[in-house]
Amino acid sequence: MIPLAIIGGSGFSGLPSLLVSDAQTVATPFGETSAPVTRGRLGDAEVLFLPRHGPSHHLPPHRINYRANLWALRNCGAEHVVALAAVGGITPRFAPTVLAVPDQIIDYTYGREHSIHDGTTGTVEHIDLTTPYCEELRQALISACTHTGQTVIDTGVYGATQGPRLETAAEIRRYERDGCDMVGMTGMPEASLARELGLCYASLAFVVNWAAGKGDDGIITMQEIEANLALCVERIVGVLTNLATVR
């Protein structure tokens, strides 16, 4: 079976419960990946794992080589990619520790390499991104949440911001007017590059804080984010194990 690939976000420089068999440095046309591609077993299934911020979480969102990462996963045999995403909650349902599988995305990033069709080789190609996530994999993620007893919001609009700074309260109000339910920094160009490469790509988002101006405390702290992230890790690993095993 073609292995499932998992891209680890904040809090997932490694993947708990993954029995590692090897790690491979993959040469790509776009330069170095964030880390070697790890192959291992999660439950009874073989999976690939790549931490997008690097093994020591040293790469900020705007410095990640998204093109190399996705190309390397496809080169290692992946057809399905689950992207883990720590996000801030904007609308009321998206409270800290909530799990969500977004179905839409709005891109506010800039200055990133957004396409493998960059004009240096071949011809320009225009992909359809009406539905930016793979519906087959989205439904499989939702089912895995249900089977493991996890409540999940099965739709939502992810607002992709530049980072690495957090947003201002005015920016969050703008994103809410635009229709965003959650905010993160790595959802684009990851989703569109996956589509260009023919990968079935979906995101499992977990809310680690209220976005700016949405919480009661006024200031977002790393202590708050880390505490909420810790509450999500075991649940997420359970969902991924179920997904890898039953797909």
Side-chain angles (χ1 to χ4, degrees):
M1 177 184 292
I2 296 294
L4 172 72
I6 299 164
I7 297 177
S10 296
F12 286 91
S13 296
L15 188 61
S17 303
L18 180 66
L19 300 177
V20 175
S21 56
D22 67 76
Q24 178 183 359
T25 299
V26 181
T28 86
F30 308 107
E32 295 182 359
T33 58
S34 296
V37 177
T38 298
R39 189 183 301 267
R41 298 196 71 80
L42 191 62
D44 296 327
E46 184 182 40
V47 301
L48 301 174
F49 177 74
L50 179 62
R52 69 164 71 85
H53 293 284
S56 58
H57 202 274
H58 64 282
L59 292 170
H62 64 296
R63 294 293 187 187
I64 294 167
N65 192 339
Y66 297 94
R67 297 192 299 178
N69 287 350
L70 288 159
W71 193 95
L73 291 174
R74 190 185 70 166
N75 189 65
C76 289
E79 290 183 349
H80 295 76
V81 178
V82 171
L84 302 182
V87 297
I90 297 177
T91 52
R93 290 195 303 160
F94 291 78
T97 73
V98 159
L99 302 184
V101 180
D103 65 328
Q104 281 293 331
I105 192 166
I106 300 177
D107 188 5
Y108 301 98
T109 66
Y110 51 88
R112 302 183 184 188
E113 294 289 354
H114 274 73
S115 177
I116 61 172
H117 307 295
D118 58 5
T120 59
T121 58
T123 58
V124 174
E125 293 190 25
H126 303 282
I127 58 165
D128 176 73
L129 209 64
T130 303
T131 53
Y133 300 104
C134 173
E135 189 61 20
E136 171 199 350
L137 190 53
R138 270 197 0 97
Q139 293 302 323
L141 271 170
I142 294 164
S143 178
C145 287
T146 301
H147 287 155
T148 54
Q150 301 301 326
T151 301
V152 63
I153 300 177
D154 61 5
T155 58
V157 180
Y158 178 118
T161 62
Q162 182 70 358
R165 68 166 178 86
L166 298 176
E167 301 74 30
T168 69
E171 286 171 330
I172 293 300
R173 291 194 296 271
R174 172 199 172 189
Y175 303 152
E176 185 171 17
R177 290 193 299 270
D178 287 349
C180 296
D181 295 296
M182 66 193 93
V183 61
M185 301 175 186
T186 57
M188 288 291 280
E190 211 170 71
S192 58
L193 288 167
R195 182 64 53 84
E196 286 187 341
L197 289 165
L199 294 164
C200 179
Y201 173 96
S203 178
L204 179 58
F206 44 102
V207 184
V208 294
N209 60 279
W210 282 114
K214 293 297 178 179
D216 295 330
D217 297 334
I219 296 176
I220 302 168
T221 67
M222 286 309 300
Q223 290 85 355
E224 171 195 5
I225 291 172
E226 290 168 1
N228 287 325
L229 198 155
L231 295 173
C232 294
V233 170
E234 184 177 352
R235 298 158 61 206
I236 291 166
V237 171
V239 171
L240 293 174
T241 302
N242 181 272
L243 176 70
T245 301
V246 303
R247 59 177 289 275

